[in-house]
Amino acid sequence: VTRAMDEAIDILRRTAGVQIDCGTLKEGPPGIESQADVESVVLPTVRRLQAEPTDAYVIACFSDPGLHLAREVLKKPVLGIAESAYLAALGLGHRFGVVAILERSIPRHMRAIRMMGLEGRLAADRALGIGVTGLSDRDSVIGRIVAVGRTLRDQDGADVIILGCASMGRYRSELEDRLEIPVVDPCQAAVARAVSLLTLGYRTVA
Amino acid sequence: VTRAMDEAIDILRRTAGVQIDCGTLKEGPPGIESQADVESVVLPTVRRLQAEPTDAYVIACFSDPGLHLAREVLKKPVLGIAESAYLAALGLGHRFGVVAILERSIPRHMRAIRMMGLEGRLAADRALGIGVTGLSDRDSVIGRIVAVGRTLRDQDGADVIILGCASMGRYRSELEDRLEIPVVDPCQAAVARAVSLLTLGYRTVA
Amino acid sequence: VTRAMDEAIDILRRTAGVQIDCGTLKEGPPGIESQADVESVVLPTVRRLQAEPTDAYVIACFSDPGLHLAREVLKKPVLGIAESAYLAALGLGHRFGVVAILERSIPRHMRAIRMMGLEGRLAADRALGIGVTGLSDRDSVIGRIVAVGRTLRDQDGADVIILGCASMGRYRSELEDRLEIPVVDPCQAAVARAVSLLTLGYRTVA
Amino acid sequence: VTRAMDEAIDILRRTAGVQIDCGTLKEGPPGIESQADVESVVLPTVRRLQAEPTDAYVIACFSDPGLHLAREVLKKPVLGIAESAYLAALGLGHRFGVVAILERSIPRHMRAIRMMGLEGRLAADRALGIGVTGLSDRDSVIGRIVAVGRTLRDQDGADVIILGCASMGRYRSELEDRLEIPVVDPCQAAVARAVSLLTLGYRTVA
Amino acid sequence: VTRAMDEAIDILRRTAGVQIDCGTLKEGPPGIESQADVESVVLPTVRRLQAEPTDAYVIACFSDPGLHLAREVLKKPVLGIAESAYLAALGLGHRFGVVAILERSIPRHMRAIRMMGLEGRLAADRALGIGVTGLSDRDSVIGRIVAVGRTLRDQDGADVIILGCASMGRYRSELEDRLEIPVVDPCQAAVARAVSLLTLGYRTVA
Amino acid sequence: VTRAMDEAIDILRRTAGVQIDCGTLKEGPPGIESQADVESVVLPTVRRLQAEPTDAYVIACFSDPGLHLAREVLKKPVLGIAESAYLAALGLGHRFGVVAILERSIPRHMRAIRMMGLEGRLAADRALGIGVTGLSDRDSVIGRIVAVGRTLRDQDGADVIILGCASMGRYRSELEDRLEIPVVDPCQAAVARAVSLLTLGYRTVA
């Protein structure tokens, strides 16, 4: 997942002139699939951020674990990739669709979207039905995302698609070619937003 | 706080014919005032619930820490006192006001209320400006709650008041006499809801 | 209908330690299917409640006829079964589906749900297409509810189902087995809520 | 009240070329101030409408009593003055303020406004604190409405004012002069809407 | 289009006793299909209105071009047909469906509906897939509108249909016969509203 | 105004490594204060953008004139400063306050905010009561913004402030020092967003 993410945000390294380092949390599970997975990484994630001082932090998991804590503790911008993806999608289309990994992630997404007051802009959230670790077979994953994305577009009225996982950004270009609407990779969205916040001198507030 | 809570829910013990035990989490901070406090008790809280099997669980902190995790892990009803207070208030008035302990709790409350899709029923959320541990001086606390409650009622249009803390339920009767509108103690609301769920054979879902 | 209801709430008699009496309004039509049926029972219902003093009242019709009047006139808690079902469903799932008896009841439900500010939590409302008096053939009724409930669950995204009628509670257990999500019987929800309000010493406000 | 109303809608008689008859319901209370007053006139109102066949009906009470029943029973347009006032206000300003007669009418208004899904356009609802029968002293009533209207305009941001009563339309011109924003008389709004519906051949649906 | 519109509003001429003149903007494109078409007519439309003084103005294009400008510039009521259609639909049913000419008009409609705060009453917006100039073949157009209208009614739950174009009003009667729910012609809705505003002495505000 | 804007976005030139050119529309009025001002610049603005090909365009007026047209016509990202400011504010606080130049701009802002479905995140919009051209006296302008900003913060609950004008960004640092919450300059927000969209290879869609 970390390598996939690294590849997806490389585009930002080349143009934004900033240094972007990706790290893997050793204590974490292979993927975040359950609320137990989410909660297990909250404190280790924030400790890790505290241990590696930098100008801005991105928590690269679509459940945004530890986001509010990290903002309280650190005096720098801290960004979640899910919230960044929702904000990016608002600027790219009228109604966004979300491609969830698993059916059971959808209530967690709904809570986050409602928490931000954005449910009026949500077209629908639909699951791939593939586990995080099963996301490595490129062709079948892309085929499945395209199928779900077309349902979101044609049936639910989405005109922008959010990939509800940290590791699918490297497929963005192919997905946009096949879906013909913008596709948001949450990691790219968060790193780009971090660059903007740094440039303009903002920090995020708890 | 635990003793105050125990006293507030005693009314349910006498009439509902159920056994209700209150415990204090030893690992926790004296009060939950920050996001760091919230996150620090998530895993210990859920471990404690797992260690003491019973028919239903109430997490008695107005930040509902570990609620979604406990629901995923346990096969019994698990209730948060904040969500229970919001649900109770919907049935007692048209627009609810929240009495927060601290100004900085208000964004956390707003996130929870929006997450439940209930912001259309919120009149306002106003802070006492007293720390959790400072909540023990009965007279000054009641006086301050009455002042804030009157503002919520007269200026913001609330016709039911939620006490945004676990330890103020024992003042409910006096507060209702002075405010002349219903006052929701979140602990009472959660325990009463637990009794209802048990009676009707429901469990809560992650 | 009254006998069916009596059976459904029996579970509350056994555990809550309260006396619960069910009565039939003699002046009423056999079932409430139209607005004319609703309005015809408003005054007789409230007169009947006034004539039989007790600690709390439940108006056991999914149109909640006379609810606001009874609250104004009586100094005790008065509960409607529809409003109680909506409140209960909020605590059992993320989005509720409603099983209406007739297509033409749906606008009435929508008005009630919007009046409570809860439309953001509604998945959908779908009709059985069976009249109230035709609800007595157990097997066909259950089969039809299961079919409609599955559509609400699978197509509309409901994770809790409300039975939009006073007489279907005795089927709840079988329906939950087959639908695999919580099912709310509005009579049970209202009686349980009445017990809670009495225990905590609240009354409802006009 | 009936005479006042008659005067207010006279403007429509002169220009719309239709015959408009105002009647008083003999069975009713002198004014509708409580839910008991509302419910007491529902059936008599609808019986009266049925007894006097005409092309369209306006129920001239700001609680819209019997509206849904009359629509179900009659095959002609039936209009409530409150719903007509809300619809008219949507076309005259950005956010409407409501001048209620009594404080206790406000929850009833809020239910109606939420039922129509229009709470996003409501600035505020504020009470005069004068009973319906006390509305006859012209100068003090106008003075009070102007005071409340200015608060709605300057403090709550209303740019159109709805008079929440059937009998204040004759003051509209003076009120508009003094408040300098449009003022909606609900009777005028309903009669004008009735004329439109008749002209275009619509009827209202239950 | 102008002739079709003239025919549709003839019903208002006969009964309302007002003079209604329809004009064609010579500078405009044959139909308004794009944002470029919309913007190209804003200034010419308002200049034309200024050049022909009258008591009230209707801008008869479903994109309401120049509406806010005309209201600022003219001291008379100025109405858009789209906003008038949405307001009329609120009074004729519970949830309205919109029949758009083209798929790409839908985001423009959505912006207008959200701008008015009415998205809670929208069932759905579906496109005919026929260009404005292709709207002249009566039978195929009616057949297509009926097909789309049935989907809006049966699948999306609309109980009133808005024709999203200025030229389809003459088909209203046949469409209502076949769809069995009210159909709103935006030109009729706007002219009827203009007559009401004139009668009651209102003007619209920028 | 153009020079002030140029100064405010200079921070982006230094760090983002992109060339940013500011131009003044010669045909335009000195400031955009009315709907007439807005509409008068729509076509000239878009023609100017077409005449000067570049990678991305920002329309630097808080009324976002010509935004939808420019997106339809140009095959590059086109950004409005108002929509960019609203999106930026969502990521910097819980509820945003808007500092409008004039009272009469507020309805225009409300329409834009509702159009984006973001009214749930708006604290309030309050006017400075100073014309655009009067915005050049630094001290009195800053003093007035601070006063309005404090009302938005303390009375309306805003925790981020949007400057509703293109020319106040150079005061941002001083305003943030005195208000102690983030302040969004819409020009900075739009240019930063343009850089992000270019970096990630998105274009905006009509």
Side-chain angles (χ1 to χ4, degrees):
Chain A
V1 173
T2 307
R3 211 165 32 227
M5 197 182 308
D6 213 349
E7 192 184 325
I9 60 172
D10 210 41
I11 194 174
L12 281 144
R13 278 194 190 95
R14 284 184 307 238
T15 53
V18 295
Q19 182 183 336
I20 307 168
D21 295 320
C22 294
T24 307
L25 189 70
K26 290 199 178 55
E27 301 92 319
I32 302 288
E33 297 190 350
S34 65
Q35 193 67 29
D37 294 338
V38 174
E39 303 291 4
S40 74
V41 299
V42 167
L43 297 179
T45 296
V46 177
R47 271 196 300 265
R48 171 77 178 266
L49 301 184
Q50 286 180 294
E52 302 192 20
T54 184
D55 293 324
Y57 303 87
V58 169
I59 298 174
C61 164
F62 202 73
S63 300
D64 290 351
L67 180 62
H68 297 292
L69 174 55
R71 283 185 180 161
E72 185 180 84
V73 166
L74 298 160
K75 300 297 170 216
K76 306 280 176 159
V78 185
L79 305 174
I81 63 169
E83 58 153 28
S84 299
Y86 297 131
L87 293 178
L90 293 181
L92 291 170
H94 300 278
R95 297 205 299 166
F96 59 88
V98 182
V99 177
I101 304 298
L102 299 169
E103 194 66 43
R104 65 171 158 165
S105 318
I106 294 178
R108 205 156 55 225
H109 300 171
M110 288 303 305
R111 288 198 299 261
I113 292 166
R114 277 207 291 245
M115 202 171 77
M116 296 177 74
L118 304 180
E119 66 274 36
R121 300 287 295 273
L122 172 70
D125 191 331
R126 291 180 177 271
L128 291 181
I130 311 178
V132 172
T133 49
L135 289 173
S136 48
D137 175 6
R138 180 186 173 94
D139 285 351
S140 77
V141 166
I142 289 182
R144 188 79 192 107
I145 297 174
V146 169
V148 170
R150 283 185 180 147
T151 306
L152 288 166
R153 185 192 64 189
D154 298 335
Q155 188 170 317
D156 303 317
D159 54 7
V160 52
I161 299 292
I162 293 173
L163 301 174
C165 175
S167 64
M168 300 189 282
R170 59 201 150 147
Y171 309 145
R172 203 193 111 201
S173 161
E174 181 168 348
L175 292 169
E176 290 187 326
D177 286 348
R178 292 176 62 180
L179 288 170
E180 297 178 301
I181 52 178
V183 171
V184 175
D185 171 50
C187 291
Q188 290 183 343
V191 175
R193 194 174 144 227
V195 172
S196 289
L197 292 183
L198 283 175
T199 305
L200 294 176
Y202 287 111
R203 68 183 191 84
T204 47
V205 186
Chain B
V1 174
T2 307
R3 210 165 33 228
M5 198 182 307
D6 212 350
E7 193 185 323
I9 60 171
D10 211 39
I11 195 175
L12 283 145
R13 279 194 189 97
R14 284 185 306 239
T15 53
V18 294
Q19 184 184 333
I20 308 168
D21 296 320
C22 294
T24 306
L25 190 70
K26 290 197 180 56
E27 301 91 320
I32 302 288
E33 297 190 350
S34 65
Q35 193 68 27
D37 294 337
V38 174
E39 303 291 4
S40 76
V41 298
V42 167
L43 296 181
T45 296
V46 177
R47 271 196 301 266
R48 171 78 177 264
L49 300 184
Q50 286 181 294
E52 302 192 20
T54 184
D55 293 324
Y57 304 87
V58 169
I59 298 173
C61 165
F62 202 73
S63 299
D64 292 351
L67 181 63
H68 297 292
L69 173 56
R71 283 186 179 159
E72 184 180 85
V73 165
L74 298 160
K75 299 298 169 213
K76 305 281 174 157
V78 185
L79 304 175
I81 64 169
E83 58 153 28
S84 300
Y86 298 131
L87 294 178
L90 293 181
L92 291 170
H94 299 279
R95 297 207 299 167
F96 59 90
V98 182
V99 177
I101 304 298
L102 300 168
E103 194 67 42
R104 65 173 157 163
S105 318
I106 293 178
R108 203 154 57 223
H109 299 172
M110 287 305 304
R111 290 199 297 262
I113 292 166
R114 277 209 289 245
M115 202 171 77
M116 296 178 74
L118 304 180
E119 66 274 36
R121 299 287 295 274
L122 172 71
D125 192 331
R126 291 181 176 272
L128 291 182
I130 310 178
V132 173
T133 48
L135 288 173
S136 46
D137 175 5
R138 179 186 172 94
D139 285 351
S140 77
V141 166
I142 290 183
R144 189 80 192 107
I145 297 175
V146 168
V148 170
R150 282 185 181 147
T151 306
L152 288 167
R153 184 193 63 189
D154 298 335
Q155 188 170 317
D156 303 317
D159 55 5
V160 53
I161 300 292
I162 293 173
L163 301 173
C165 175
S167 65
M168 300 189 281
R170 60 201 151 148
Y171 309 145
R172 203 194 111 202
S173 161
E174 183 169 347
L175 293 169
E176 290 187 327
D177 285 348
R178 292 175 63 180
L179 288 169
E180 298 179 300
I181 52 176
V183 172
V184 175
D185 170 50
C187 292
Q188 290 183 343
V191 175
R193 193 175 145 227
V195 172
S196 289
L197 292 183
L198 283 177
T199 305
L200 294 176
Y202 287 111
R203 69 184 193 83
T204 47
V205 186
Chain C
V1 173
T2 308
R3 210 163 36 227
M5 197 182 307
D6 212 350
E7 192 184 325
I9 61 171
D10 210 41
I11 194 175
L12 281 145
R13 279 195 189 98
R14 284 183 308 239
T15 54
V18 295
Q19 183 185 333
I20 307 168
D21 296 320
C22 295
T24 306
L25 188 71
K26 290 199 179 57
E27 300 91 322
I32 302 288
E33 297 190 350
S34 65
Q35 194 67 27
D37 294 338
V38 174
E39 303 291 5
S40 75
V41 299
V42 167
L43 296 181
T45 296
V46 178
R47 271 196 299 266
R48 171 76 178 266
L49 300 184
Q50 285 180 294
E52 302 192 20
T54 183
D55 292 325
Y57 303 86
V58 169
I59 298 174
C61 164
F62 202 73
S63 300
D64 291 351
L67 181 62
H68 297 292
L69 174 56
R71 283 187 179 157
E72 185 181 83
V73 166
L74 298 160
K75 299 298 169 214
K76 305 281 174 156
V78 185
L79 304 175
I81 64 170
E83 59 153 28
S84 300
Y86 297 131
L87 294 178
L90 292 181
L92 291 170
H94 300 278
R95 297 207 297 168
F96 58 89
V98 182
V99 177
I101 305 296
L102 299 169
E103 195 66 43
R104 66 173 158 162
S105 318
I106 294 178
R108 204 153 58 222
H109 299 172
M110 288 303 304
R111 288 198 298 260
I113 292 166
R114 276 207 292 243
M115 203 171 75
M116 296 178 73
L118 304 180
E119 67 275 35
R121 300 287 294 275
L122 172 70
D125 192 331
R126 290 180 178 271
L128 291 181
I130 311 178
V132 172
T133 48
L135 289 173
S136 47
D137 175 7
R138 180 185 173 95
D139 285 353
S140 77
V141 166
I142 289 182
R144 190 79 193 107
I145 297 175
V146 168
V148 169
R150 283 186 181 145
T151 306
L152 288 166
R153 184 192 65 189
D154 299 336
Q155 188 170 317
D156 303 316
D159 56 5
V160 53
I161 299 291
I162 293 173
L163 301 173
C165 175
S167 64
M168 301 189 282
R170 59 201 151 147
Y171 310 144
R172 203 193 112 202
S173 162
E174 182 168 346
L175 293 168
E176 289 187 327
D177 285 349
R178 293 175 63 180
L179 288 169
E180 296 179 301
I181 53 177
V183 173
V184 175
D185 170 50
C187 291
Q188 290 183 343
V191 175
R193 195 175 144 226
V195 172
S196 290
L197 292 184
L198 282 177
T199 304
L200 294 176
Y202 288 111
R203 70 181 190 86
T204 47
V205 186
Chain D
V1 174
T2 306
R3 210 164 34 226
M5 196 182 307
D6 212 351
E7 190 184 324
I9 60 173
D10 209 41
I11 195 176
L12 283 144
R13 279 196 190 96
R14 284 185 306 240
T15 53
V18 294
Q19 182 184 335
I20 308 169
D21 296 320
C22 294
T24 306
L25 189 70
K26 292 200 178 54
E27 301 91 320
I32 301 288
E33 297 190 349
S34 65
Q35 194 67 28
D37 293 338
V38 175
E39 303 291 4
S40 75
V41 299
V42 167
L43 297 181
T45 297
V46 177
R47 270 196 301 265
R48 171 77 178 267
L49 301 184
Q50 285 181 294
E52 302 191 20
T54 182
D55 292 325
Y57 303 86
V58 169
I59 297 174
C61 163
F62 202 73
S63 300
D64 291 352
L67 180 62
H68 297 291
L69 173 56
R71 283 186 179 159
E72 185 181 85
V73 165
L74 298 160
K75 299 297 168 216
K76 305 282 174 154
V78 185
L79 304 176
I81 64 169
E83 59 154 27
S84 299
Y86 297 131
L87 294 178
L90 293 181
L92 292 170
H94 299 278
R95 297 206 299 167
F96 58 88
V98 182
V99 177
I101 304 297
L102 300 169
E103 195 66 42
R104 65 172 158 164
S105 318
I106 294 178
R108 204 155 56 223
H109 299 172
M110 288 303 304
R111 289 199 298 263
I113 292 166
R114 277 209 290 247
M115 203 171 76
M116 294 178 75
L118 304 180
E119 66 274 37
R121 299 286 294 275
L122 173 70
D125 191 332
R126 291 180 178 272
L128 292 182
I130 310 177
V132 172
T133 48
L135 289 173
S136 46
D137 175 7
R138 179 185 173 95
D139 285 351
S140 77
V141 166
I142 289 183
R144 190 79 192 106
I145 297 175
V146 168
V148 170
R150 283 186 181 145
T151 307
L152 289 166
R153 184 192 65 188
D154 298 335
Q155 188 169 315
D156 304 316
D159 55 7
V160 53
I161 300 291
I162 293 173
L163 301 174
C165 175
S167 64
M168 300 190 282
R170 60 201 150 148
Y171 309 145
R172 204 193 111 202
S173 161
E174 182 168 349
L175 293 169
E176 291 187 326
D177 285 348
R178 293 175 62 181
L179 289 169
E180 297 179 301
I181 52 177
V183 172
V184 175
D185 169 51
C187 291
Q188 289 183 343
V191 175
R193 195 175 144 226
V195 172
S196 290
L197 292 183
L198 282 176
T199 305
L200 294 177
Y202 287 112
R203 69 183 191 84
T204 47
V205 186
Chain E
V1 172
T2 307
R3 208 162 37 225
M5 197 181 310
D6 212 351
E7 190 184 326
I9 59 171
D10 209 41
I11 194 174
L12 282 144
R13 279 196 190 96
R14 283 183 308 237
T15 53
V18 294
Q19 182 184 335
I20 308 168
D21 296 321
C22 294
T24 305
L25 189 70
K26 291 201 178 53
E27 301 90 320
I32 302 287
E33 297 191 350
S34 65
Q35 194 67 29
D37 294 338
V38 174
E39 303 291 4
S40 75
V41 298
V42 166
L43 296 181
T45 296
V46 178
R47 272 196 300 265
R48 172 76 178 266
L49 299 185
Q50 286 180 294
E52 302 192 20
T54 182
D55 292 324
Y57 304 86
V58 169
I59 298 175
C61 163
F62 202 73
S63 300
D64 291 351
L67 180 62
H68 297 292
L69 173 56
R71 283 187 180 157
E72 186 181 82
V73 166
L74 298 160
K75 299 298 170 214
K76 305 282 175 157
V78 185
L79 304 175
I81 63 169
E83 58 153 30
S84 299
Y86 297 132
L87 293 178
L90 293 181
L92 292 170
H94 300 278
R95 298 207 297 168
F96 59 88
V98 182
V99 177
I101 305 297
L102 300 168
E103 194 67 43
R104 66 173 158 162
S105 317
I106 294 179
R108 204 155 55 222
H109 300 172
M110 288 303 304
R111 289 199 298 262
I113 292 167
R114 277 208 291 245
M115 203 171 76
M116 296 178 74
L118 303 181
E119 65 275 36
R121 300 287 294 275
L122 173 69
D125 191 331
R126 291 180 177 273
L128 291 181
I130 311 177
V132 172
T133 47
L135 288 173
S136 47
D137 174 7
R138 180 185 173 93
D139 285 352
S140 77
V141 166
I142 289 183
R144 189 79 192 107
I145 297 174
V146 168
V148 169
R150 283 185 181 146
T151 306
L152 288 166
R153 184 192 65 188
D154 299 336
Q155 188 169 315
D156 303 317
D159 55 6
V160 53
I161 299 292
I162 292 173
L163 301 173
C165 175
S167 64
M168 300 189 283
R170 61 202 149 147
Y171 309 145
R172 205 194 110 201
S173 161
E174 181 167 349
L175 293 169
E176 289 188 326
D177 285 348
R178 292 176 63 181
L179 288 169
E180 297 178 301
I181 53 177
V183 172
V184 175
D185 170 50
C187 291
Q188 290 182 344
V191 175
R193 196 176 143 226
V195 172
S196 290
L197 292 183
L198 281 177
T199 304
L200 294 176
Y202 287 112
R203 69 182 190 86
T204 47
V205 186
Chain F
V1 173
T2 307
R3 209 165 35 227
M5 197 182 309
D6 211 351
E7 191 184 325
I9 60 172
D10 209 41
I11 195 175
L12 282 144
R13 280 196 189 94
R14 284 184 306 240
T15 54
V18 294
Q19 183 185 335
I20 308 168
D21 296 321
C22 295
T24 306
L25 189 69
K26 291 199 180 55
E27 301 91 319
I32 301 287
E33 297 190 350
S34 65
Q35 194 67 28
D37 294 337
V38 175
E39 304 290 4
S40 75
V41 299
V42 167
L43 297 181
T45 297
V46 178
R47 272 195 301 264
R48 171 76 178 267
L49 301 185
Q50 286 181 295
E52 301 192 21
T54 183
D55 292 324
Y57 303 87
V58 168
I59 298 174
C61 163
F62 202 72
S63 299
D64 290 352
L67 180 62
H68 297 292
L69 173 56
R71 284 187 179 157
E72 185 181 84
V73 165
L74 298 160
K75 300 299 170 212
K76 305 282 175 158
V78 185
L79 304 175
I81 64 169
E83 59 153 28
S84 300
Y86 297 131
L87 294 178
L90 293 181
L92 291 170
H94 300 278
R95 297 206 298 168
F96 58 88
V98 182
V99 177
I101 303 299
L102 299 168
E103 194 67 41
R104 66 174 158 162
S105 318
I106 295 179
R108 203 154 58 222
H109 299 172
M110 288 304 303
R111 289 199 298 262
I113 292 167
R114 278 208 291 246
M115 203 171 76
M116 296 177 75
L118 303 180
E119 66 275 37
R121 299 288 294 275
L122 172 70
D125 191 332
R126 290 180 178 272
L128 291 182
I130 310 178
V132 172
T133 48
L135 289 173
S136 47
D137 174 6
R138 180 187 172 94
D139 286 350
S140 77
V141 166
I142 289 183
R144 189 78 193 108
I145 298 175
V146 168
V148 169
R150 282 185 182 146
T151 306
L152 289 166
R153 183 192 66 188
D154 299 336
Q155 187 169 317
D156 303 317
D159 55 5
V160 54
I161 299 292
I162 293 173
L163 301 174
C165 175
S167 64
M168 301 189 280
R170 60 202 151 147
Y171 308 145
R172 203 193 111 201
S173 162
E174 182 169 347
L175 293 169
E176 290 187 326
D177 285 348
R178 293 175 63 180
L179 288 169
E180 298 179 300
I181 52 177
V183 172
V184 175
D185 169 51
C187 291
Q188 290 183 343
V191 175
R193 194 174 144 227
V195 172
S196 289
L197 292 183
L198 282 177
T199 306
L200 294 176
Y202 287 111
R203 70 181 190 87
T204 47
V205 186

